[in-house]
Amino acid sequence: MAFSLPANANGILPDRMIAAMEESGLILPAFPFVESQIQPASLDLRLGEVAYRVRASFLPGPDVTVAERIDELKLHEVDLSDGAVLETNCVYIVPLLESLALPQSILASANPKSSTGRLDVFTRVIADGTRRFDMIGAGYHGPLYAEISPKTFPVLLRQGSRLSQIRFRTGAPLLDNDELEALHQREPLVDCDNADLTGGVAVSVDLSGEGSDGFVGYRAKRHTGVVDIDRRGGYAVDDFWEPIRARPDGSLILDPGEFYILASKEAVQVPPNYAAEMVPFDPLVGEFRVHYAGFFDPGFGHAGAGGQGSRAVLEVRSREVPFILEHGQIVGRLVYEKMLAPPQTLYGTRIASNYQGQGLKLSKHFRAPG
């Protein structure tokens, strides 16, 4: 089956086109795709059978392969075929089961899956000859690798585990300010008056405690047990997290090196013909990092897909100094891109999406209280 794009194609490729890319040899999996691996606007990437513990993170740079850099920096190998624990604050490189043979009309970008970010597992995708993480240039032919560094919890991984997602795009699908304003007028992207749409939809943090029995988030505990990345609902919240109650002044002091799960004040939505991404927060505004995992699929928070009232969950880590967050403070921006075509299935519709309709919610690995 030959894969082709319409003339002047411009957009994120949907699920059925991702499947067609695999059938045409543009995506080369070592093993056939598994159920739910293709998402509405992205593809989950699977880990291979070995993890290489390396001395430090790296980018290969032009004309250098990742394999060559691994040979220079490797400390030892970890067999993932039957599962193995990756320790915190160590750096591992894992060849992925998917490689690419992209045409010049298609480029790709990667991001951690939502569940990966909510476990504070720092994950990036690397390609041969690249100078940037998570970016795969048009026309790239070659393997893909995951850089993995658990920051809070040691994690149990195995061959086939999925930590990252990849999106494929053609043209220039990013909405500019005028297009974003027009979309917001047709289908409100956030449920607030006077939305700030400059450079993307502004997302602020909810520290009020309203509607959640006075709780505003969770702080990760240190020195916990191991989290099996493929085990759903297998862990008690209290063994890994401390709940955070709202303060009367609506503030929260972020301690350096600690990891927090918070939620957005706004309910957000992604209409069916669009995809969104949380972009990095402006470092000039505050000494903290928000949202490791950034992809929002078509249908997230959309009433037609059962997601009305969905909040963005914020994975927050302070950097070098304590920092005070205030209720309603802007902590990130959602940028929107056009889909090349509507996906066959929206997020939350018949695909058992974990976070549709969510409020303040931990990753799928933890049991709901009660």
Side-chain angles (χ1 to χ4, degrees), residues 123-145:
T123 304
R124 301 185 287 196
V125 170
I126 318 173
D128 289 343
T130 186
R131 298 187 182 192
R132 300 178 64 186
F133 293 107
D134 288 332
M135 302 299 294
I136 297 92
Y140 177 75
H141 284 226
L144 299 174
Y145 299 80

Side-chain angles (χ1 to χ4, degrees), residues 64-86:
V64 179
T65 68
V66 177
E68 290 170 340
R69 296 292 282 149
I70 290 174
D71 285 341
E72 296 171 5
L73 298 170
K74 180 176 65 176
L75 298 176
H76 62 266
E77 300 180 14
V78 180
D79 184 2
L80 299 181
S81 56
D82 292 321
V85 174
L86 303 192

Side-chain angles (χ1 to χ4, degrees), residues 153-233:
F153 311 126
V155 292
L156 175 62
L157 303 174
R158 56 187 57 81
Q159 179 176 312
S161 294
R162 294 180 263 171
L163 300 184
S164 301
Q165 297 171 305
I166 192 168
R167 273 185 179 170
F168 302 94
R169 54 173 56 78
T170 187
L174 183 67
L175 271 61
D176 62 27
N177 286 344
D178 291 339
E179 292 171 321
L180 189 64
E181 176 68 37
L183 175 60
H184 181 63
Q185 292 299 321
R186 296 194 306 270
E187 298 191 64
L189 304 176
V190 288
D191 64 341
C192 64
D193 299 328
N194 303 317
D196 180 352
L197 305 178
T198 305
V201 178
V203 175
S204 65
V205 64
D206 183 3
L207 297 176
S208 68
E210 296 177 3
S212 57
D213 296 325
F215 291 99
V216 297
Y218 296 90
R219 179 190 296 107
K221 292 183 176 181
R222 294 287 185 175
H223 314 298
T224 67
V226 173
V227 176
D228 184 335
I229 205 76
D230 298 318
R231 185 181 178 192
R232 184 181 301 224

Side-chain angles (χ1 to χ4, degrees), residues 152-341:
T152 296
F153 311 126
V155 292
L156 175 62
L157 303 174
R158 56 187 57 81
Q159 179 176 312
S161 294
R162 294 180 263 171
L163 300 184
S164 301
Q165 297 171 305
I166 192 168
R167 273 185 179 170
F168 302 94
R169 54 173 56 78
T170 187
L174 183 67
L175 271 61
D176 62 27
N177 286 344
D178 291 339
E179 292 171 321
L180 189 64
E181 176 68 37
L183 175 60
H184 181 63
Q185 292 299 321
R186 296 194 306 270
E187 298 191 64
L189 304 176
V190 288
D191 64 341
C192 64
D193 299 328
N194 303 317
D196 180 352
L197 305 178
T198 305
V201 178
V203 175
S204 65
V205 64
D206 183 3
L207 297 176
S208 68
E210 296 177 3
S212 57
D213 296 325
F215 291 99
V216 297
Y218 296 90
R219 179 190 296 107
K221 292 183 176 181
R222 294 287 185 175
H223 314 298
T224 67
V226 173
V227 176
D228 184 335
I229 205 76
D230 298 318
R231 185 181 178 192
R232 184 181 301 224
Y235 303 97
V237 171
D238 291 346
D239 290 340
F240 293 83
W241 301 94
E242 298 174 355
I244 304 170
R245 296 196 67 88
R247 290 167 54 96
D249 63 357
S251 70
L252 173 64
I253 298 177
L254 303 177
D255 291 321
E258 297 298 318
F259 181 67
Y260 302 83
I261 296 291
L262 306 173
S264 68
K265 178 182 174 183
E266 301 83 8
V268 303
Q269 73 145 327
V270 182
N273 290 322
Y274 297 86
E277 182 177 356
M278 184 79 81
V279 296
F281 183 68
D282 183 357
L284 299 178
V285 180
E287 290 297 316
F288 61 95
R289 172 182 176 144
V290 173
H291 217 85
Y292 289 57
F295 286 164
F296 289 70
D297 272 318
F300 178 87
H302 188 67
Q308 190 169 11
S310 295
R311 311 282 162 166
V313 166
L314 310 169
E315 299 111 20
V316 181
R317 175 181 286 280
S318 187
R319 291 194 173 103
E320 301 300 326
V321 297
F323 187 83
I324 298 177
L325 276 184
E326 307 282 354
H327 174 67
Q329 183 173 344
I330 294 174
V331 294
R333 290 186 181 274
L334 277 177
V335 297
Y336 284 72
E337 296 180 276
K338 304 168 188 173
M339 294 293 296
L340 186 56

